[in-house]
Amino acid sequence: MPLPWSGPHSHALPLPLRRAQEPVAEQDRWGGTLLVGGMVATGMFTLSGGLLTLGARIMARLPLVPQQSIRQRRAIPVRAVHADRVHLDAIGEATRDGYLALRQAGGAAHVRLGPVTSRPTPTTVARPLLASDGEEPLRADPASVNGFYWSGSPRTAHGFPTEEVEVDSPVGRMPAWLVRPDSARVGRAAGGPVEPETWAILVHGHGATRGETLRLLPLLRTLGLTSLAITYRNDTGAPPSADRMHHLGSDEWEDAEAAVEYALAHGAQRIVLAGWSMGGGIALRTSVRSAHRERIATLVLDSPAVDWHDILGYHAASVRAPIPMRRLAMWMITSPIGARAVRLREPLALHEMRPEYYGENLTHPTLLLHAMDDATVPPGPSRTLASMRPDLVQFVPVEGASHTREWNLDPARYERIVARHLARTLELQVDVDTLELPVRDPAAPPLPGSTGERV
């Protein structure tokens, strides 16, 4: 099998200047950590060839180590806070179109901001202050970006009755949010009965939390779907895997499969799989390996990890790691002997997480949205998969959005695209053109009990 981290295959590792020049903040989640680790590993290699193995081991382990506590994200300096607007340094996400949320003090301060309205100075941008969800006001100090936009739980963010349930997976009981449809609203919108037998299994991405699903939950609830926002092994609050390492979806799909079985055991007749980033890859892998494929109706994927060879190769090339180190790191991840060097209990089945494999085995209609400015999961493999299966995959490239920020760029457009796909594939009696979208106004005032907590 070709190794994309090696020299002869370097053509498979595009490194456009546009991506190379983006700030480290765009290397979302583990990408920033990989950059630092790759630089260290490269330095080790140049110092001594004898450190090749150590450098490769560092490179191989970085994307596998759960990063809830070591995620490296660049803070955005807040320069001024007014009653109606906030001034930020004109860097990274602060300059992008669309909606943005900021948090300070671990979420004690959490504000939702609208699109850029002006440039007060050559080095700052102004965004309208739409709402404050935290207990404390935002201050003129560095703040971290909340790309999920909403914070807390479905209850505190949207006011939805939310059941805290547990899904029995092969490694233990996984906490999940269960949100049932809005019967009254669906009846008004659809002019017909609610269909609670359709469940959406929502899978967050690498290093993220269930909060990543909060942007899509209002639409699903309005359309009459029951939503189950899951956790998986090595998440905060969830049981660890035997080796306490991420397997990039190679094994985590078993937790999504357990969620499918939970839904079927509680009345679901058909399933929608939805996922973001690595969660999109988990949803894809579940769709082709599930014992309940006939009950899966459709997929909704947001900037999904379709090809881990391409993703790992892209980040290795971006830090210019020596080719021998790249090849050895890939061997460590994918071979039974090499896996021991990075403390994996088993090698990762990366050969089954590529467009070619999914193109051959995919059987479900799939909506695939991908940000074209994605510097974490390059969009090329998503386009490849769509070109291989135009009969099943609707590919929607989103210009101007960074990784999994398609909703943030234009919530109404995003929800209309998803609603039309679900109405068509599920045969919902919904007139999408009459829906008032986005379902939840980004400027909605905070609800009682609102919080900036990341759940």
Side-chain angles (χ1 to χ4, degrees):
M1 176 171 40
L3 298 180
W5 289 2
S6 62
H9 305 283
S10 59
H11 65 276
L13 306 176
L15 187 60
L17 287 178
R18 173 176 55 81
R19 288 199 184 109
Q21 292 171 351
E22 288 184 356
V24 173
E26 294 298 312
Q27 303 290 337
D28 199 10
R29 302 187 181 122
W30 59 265
T33 306
L34 182 58
L35 174 63
V36 175
M39 293 174 64
V40 173
T42 301
M44 289 180 174
F45 179 74
T46 56
L47 286 173
S48 169
L51 294 176
L52 170 64
T53 301
L54 178 58
R57 184 174 180 273
I58 293 173
M59 177 169 289
R61 278 180 57 86
L62 281 170
L64 309 180
V65 176
Q67 297 181 34
Q68 288 294 332
S69 61
I70 63 174
R71 192 183 304 108
Q72 309 236 342
R73 291 176 177 171
R74 186 178 180 183
I76 296 178
V78 178
R79 295 303 179 187
V81 180
H82 300 277
D84 62 342
R85 69 192 186 280
V86 175
H87 295 183
L88 309 169
D89 272 10
I91 59 173
E93 291 291 299
T95 64
R96 288 193 177 277
D97 293 334
Y99 294 87
L100 181 72
L102 298 177
R103 62 157 45 93
Q104 291 175 335
H110 185 276
V111 298
R112 290 178 264 134
L113 307 177
V116 173
T117 54
S118 65
R119 284 183 172 264
T121 73
T123 60
T124 60
V125 296
R127 286 178 173 266
L129 177 56
L130 304 180
S132 178
D133 301 306
E135 298 177 354
E136 299 180 6
L138 192 72
R139 300 184 302 275
D141 290 314
S144 59
V145 173
N146 174 19
F148 307 162
Y149 192 71
W150 306 103
S151 60
S153 69
R155 185 183 300 277
T156 61
H158 302 310
F160 298 159
T162 305
E163 300 173 46
E164 292 279 355
V165 300
E166 292 184 323
V167 173
D168 285 324
S169 86
V171 300
R173 300 176 69 84
M174 305 288 178
W177 289 327
L178 178 59
V179 178
R180 301 190 185 276
D182 182 348
S183 302
R185 188 166 189 175
V186 172
R188 292 195 302 270
V194 179
E195 299 186 33
E197 76 276 5
T198 303
W199 285 44
I201 309 299
L202 310 180
V203 192
H204 69 75
H206 187 294
T209 68
R210 285 176 288 174
E212 191 160 32
T213 70
L214 290 172
R215 290 167 292 180
L216 190 57
L217 277 170
L219 176 65
L220 298 177
R221 188 167 185 264
T222 292
L223 293 178
L225 277 64
T226 296
S227 295
L228 187 65
I230 69 170
T231 55
Y232 47 82
R233 58 196 68 186
N234 299 306
D235 275 350
T236 299
S241 59
D243 53 20
R244 299 180 181 271
M245 303 276 275
H246 282 317
H247 288 194
L248 308 182
S250 182
D251 292 333
E252 287 86 351
W253 77 272
E254 296 174 350
D255 303 329
E257 172 78 339
V260 170
E261 293 175 348
Y262 178 96
L264 295 176
H266 289 78
Q269 296 299 314
R270 55 184 179 175
I271 301 294
V272 174
L273 294 175
W276 292 256
S277 191
M278 188 175 92
I282 292 172
L284 256 178
R285 188 157 168 77
T286 305
S287 75
V288 300
R289 294 182 64 88
S290 174
H292 310 284
R293 296 180 71 180
E294 77 286 352
R295 307 293 283 275
I296 298 172
T298 189
L299 280 67
V300 176
L301 309 178
D302 187 321
S303 294
V306 175
D307 188 342
W308 276 103
H309 280 261
D310 184 81
I311 297 167
L312 297 174
Y314 168 75
H315 286 286
S318 71
V319 299
R320 293 174 172 80
I323 290 173
M325 184 179 296
R326 304 180 200 177
R327 297 181 65 176
L328 184 55
M330 180 61 77
W331 176 80
M332 289 177 174
I333 292 175
T334 57
S335 72
I337 297 176
R340 300 173 187 171
V342 290
R343 296 185 181 178
L344 283 170
R345 289 286 292 264
E346 58 188 15
L348 307 187
L350 297 193
H351 63 286
E352 293 182 355
M353 296 189 283
R354 307 191 74 174
E356 296 79 9
Y357 183 87
Y358 291 127
E360 182 178 348
N361 293 280
L362 186 65
T363 60
H364 305 99
T366 299
L367 173 64
L368 200 169
L369 304 104
H370 209 121
M372 290 294 99
D373 288 349
D374 197 329
T376 299
V377 177
S382 289
R383 190 186 297 275
T384 298
L385 176 59
S387 67
M388 295 176 65
R389 295 305 306 267
D391 57 322
L392 288 176
V393 180
Q394 177 190 355
F395 179 61
V396 181
V398 181
E399 299 288 346
S402 59
H403 185 54
T404 67
R405 302 296 184 261
E406 298 90 341
W407 182 94
N408 303 59
L409 181 67
D410 189 337
R413 176 175 181 262
Y414 183 96
E415 292 186 15
R416 198 166 303 280
I417 290 170
V418 174
R420 283 177 174 155
H421 173 79
L422 293 177
R424 176 176 58 84
T425 56
L426 300 176
E427 299 182 342
L428 300 178
Q429 299 304 306
V430 176
D431 184 354
V432 175
D433 291 331
T434 64
L435 291 179
E436 187 174 333
L437 301 175
V439 173
R440 179 104 163 106
D441 183 358
L447 298 171
S450 67
T451 174
E453 185 180 6
R454 182 183 176 94
V455 181

